[in-house]
Amino acid sequence: MTQAELERGVEEVLIDEVQLQARIAELGDEISEDYAGRELLLIGILKGAVFFMADLMRRLRVPCEIDFMAISSYGAATDSSGVVRILKDLDINIESRDVLVVEDIIDSGLTLSYLMRNLEARKPRSLEVCALLTKPERRELSVDVRYVGFEIPNRFVIGYGLDFAERYRNLPFVGVLNPELAAEA
Ligand code: IMP
Ligand code: MG
């Protein structure tokens, strides 16, 4: 994709690099205080959370390990059961661990609520969620999200890990997808 094509994808910058890093530093402080004296296991949800997870982890002052899961939802928006398929499971046993799930965005909440049920069954010592973005208007299932970066309106966003058809993850900011492109897809 050329630079011009990349730029055409963005209708508007919603959260720029400076805002992202400032908020991530705040989240890092908050999490470091809450988990002082403990060891954290961060679980990143592939692929969108990779950028956020890498930046957040650099702001943590508690010992931490990382692991990843990849999940696919079966048209989650229309599937009220919220059943998702695990494409890549964890390598680490989370029993008795302090676990923090790191997500890019929470939309309907279906993916996350399935994931939380699945992880709870593995008996972690604690289980919390840190999401960079949330779209409260779109929520169908309520999920307890302990740490939230930004609440955003109901618009499709790209960049900083978030994709549209696997593209635009490399944008250094969070932007709103050009609706013309969404219509072409
Ligand atoms: P949920 O199960 O509806 O909460 O879906 C969450 C997943 O949908 C996220 O992890 C993203 O992969 C994807 N998603 C939801 N909204 C957006 C968006 O605005 N941009 C890019 N991906 C999104
Ligand atoms: Mg996605």
Side-chain angles (χ1 to χ4, degrees), residues 87-101:
L87 302 176
K88 184 223 170 287
D89 207 338
L90 298 170
D91 298 331
I92 298 177
N93 178 2
I94 66 168
E95 191 176 340
S96 306
R97 301 291 308 263
D98 287 306
V99 173
L100 182 62
V101 173

Side-chain angles (χ1 to χ4, degrees), residues 20 22 29 34 40 47 76 88 109 113 118 175:
L20 281 170
D29 285 342
D34 291 353
L40 249 181
K47 304 165 195 165
K88 184 223 170 287
S113 49
N118 182 292

Side-chain angles (χ1 to χ4, degrees), residues 153-173:
N154 181 17
R155 303 175 77 181
F156 196 87
V157 290
I158 51 175
Y160 195 66
L162 291 145
D163 73 301
F164 170 61
E166 293 300 323
R167 288 185 170 186
Y168 304 106
R169 295 191 199 274
N170 54 321
L171 293 170
F173 53 81

Side-chain angles (χ1 to χ4, degrees), residues 107-156:
D107 191 30
S108 69
L110 292 173
T111 309
L112 189 64
S113 49
Y114 167 83
L115 188 69
M116 294 301 275
R117 268 183 281 132
N118 182 292
L119 293 176
E120 262 159 25
R122 307 182 196 196
K123 308 256 185 290
R125 178 175 171 210
S126 66
L127 180 63
E128 300 290 350
V129 179
C130 178
L132 178 67
L133 306 172
T134 169
K135 291 182 193 170
E137 282 172 52
R138 296 260 308 166
R139 203 58 40 82
E140 288 174 35
L141 278 181
S142 83
V143 269
D144 260 342
V145 184
R146 175 89 176 262
Y147 307 98
V148 172
F150 300 88
E151 287 196 355
I152 62 167
N154 181 17
R155 303 175 77 181
F156 196 87

